[in-house]
Amino acid sequence: MFTLIDLGRLIMSALVILPIVTVIRESGYYLTAVLLGASNKNLVVGSGPKLFSLKTIEVRRYFFMYSWMDYDEVNPKNRFWHGFIYASPILSCMIVAIIINSLLSASILPENMFWSTFMFYIFYFVFFDIIPVYLPDGQPTNGRALFDLIWHGERSDYLKKKQEENEERSYTDSQEETMKNRDKDRQERDDHSNPNKDDNEKSYTKEQEETMENSDEKEEDFSDHTRNDN
């Protein structure tokens, strides 16, 4: 039965633990970008309109929902370093999980609701990263990126016939199918929520449009980072 204690745990998870774990995950990218000499590093915490920003950190209004690491393209010379980039968020979460678990086992940290929930989320992120699938926007999980790198010997946006036809960028067949389904679902949702909407009528609130612009910006940044120019 869901009780007030469970409600408190839910609020703590969403507003405290989840943002901490996402920052730990994205810090893996950040440290890797530092090691590889990437410039213009920017850790984005949350989604939606920007709340405030520091030198290399940007916090958005919904700080508990999603995060990502933005940096200029780095050009490692071999597949090992590309694989290291993809594995970095998994490694950062695993290292922290092992340390916290060891401290709990040694009774240095108390076993309580906070730490049990923290361990659940950090292992959830590891599990989510390892699953080799494409997300609705065509972006691969890190597990899928590692799979493509090992199995195909190329990055997830490896060049195919479309590049030979001078198109700007290409995706794998699985990525393209996933993105088509994403666009179809988005169109159906728009039709259902606005059945009488004219083509020129504004269908989103200002905040919705700003959030969608941030999402498109993130997708464009991802495309820049994964493009193989070598």
Side-chain angles (χ1 to χ4, degrees):
M1 185 176 70
F2 193 82
T3 65
L4 290 176
I5 294 178
D6 296 317
L7 177 61
R9 184 175 183 174
L10 175 63
I11 294 174
M12 179 184 67
S13 301
L15 301 182
V16 179
I17 295 177
L18 189 56
I20 291 175
V21 175
T22 55
V23 169
I24 291 172
R25 178 183 181 274
E26 300 303 326
S27 294
Y29 283 124
Y30 188 92
L31 293 175
T32 302
V34 171
L35 290 174
L36 297 179
S39 58
N40 298 325
K41 297 175 290 294
N42 187 35
L43 177 60
V44 180
V45 180
S47 61
K50 183 168 68 174
L51 191 60
F52 67 88
S53 61
L54 303 175
K55 185 176 181 180
T56 59
I57 300 176
E58 179 178 313
V59 178
R60 297 189 172 176
R61 182 177 300 171
Y62 314 115
F63 65 91
F64 50 90
M65 296 178 61
Y66 209 73
S67 293
W68 74 90
M69 176 66 196
D70 181 23
Y71 55 89
D72 280 355
E73 171 69 11
V74 293
N75 293 296
K77 299 302 181 182
N78 56 58
R79 284 187 291 170
F80 171 81
W81 291 113
H82 285 298
F84 187 65
I85 292 173
Y86 299 138
S88 59
I90 301 173
L91 293 175
S92 63
C93 287
M94 285 298 300
I95 290 172
V96 172
I98 291 172
I99 292 174
I100 297 298
N101 199 55
S102 298
L103 294 175
L104 289 170
S105 298
S107 297
I108 297 176
L109 291 177
E111 293 188 17
N112 52 36
M113 183 174 65
F114 177 88
W115 289 117
S116 63
T117 307
F118 177 88
M119 294 299 293
F120 171 85
Y121 273 101
I122 202 163
F123 278 115
Y124 168 81
F125 270 61
V126 171
F127 180 75
F128 179 82
D129 260 329
I130 290 176
I131 296 177
V133 297
Y134 291 112
L135 302 178
D137 60 358
Q139 178 179 348
T141 62
N142 288 299
R144 180 70 200 202
L146 287 169
F147 173 82
D148 288 340
L149 192 66
I150 295 171
W151 186 260
H152 298 293
E154 299 284 355
R155 299 161 71 176
S156 290
D157 61 339
Y158 62 86
L159 305 181
K160 305 183 302 178
K161 294 181 179 179
K162 288 190 175 183
Q163 190 184 41
E164 297 173 358
E165 298 170 357
N166 296 320
E167 292 196 13
E168 183 178 355
R169 98 177 232 111
S170 60
Y171 298 91
T172 64
D173 291 339
S174 297
Q175 280 177 300
E176 289 178 340
E177 184 176 358
T178 302
M179 294 170 71
K180 286 179 181 177
N181 289 332
R182 184 273 313 268
D183 294 338
K184 178 182 178 182
D185 292 341
R186 180 182 292 179
Q187 181 62 48
E188 288 178 352
R189 286 197 303 269
D190 187 53
D191 291 341
H192 294 160
S193 60
N194 301 277
N196 299 318
K197 177 180 70 67
D198 295 332
D199 291 339
N200 296 324
E201 182 182 348
K202 183 177 179 180
S203 59
Y204 299 101
T205 66
K206 181 179 180 180
E207 191 165 304
Q208 279 179 300
E209 290 180 338
E210 186 172 357
T211 301
M212 293 170 67
E213 287 176 1
N214 288 331
S215 176
D216 293 340
E217 177 185 346
K218 169 189 167 295
E219 186 170 335
E220 182 179 350
D221 289 338
F222 170 77
S223 300
D224 292 340
H225 296 160
T226 57
R227 181 176 291 117
N228 188 355
D229 295 325
N230 295 329

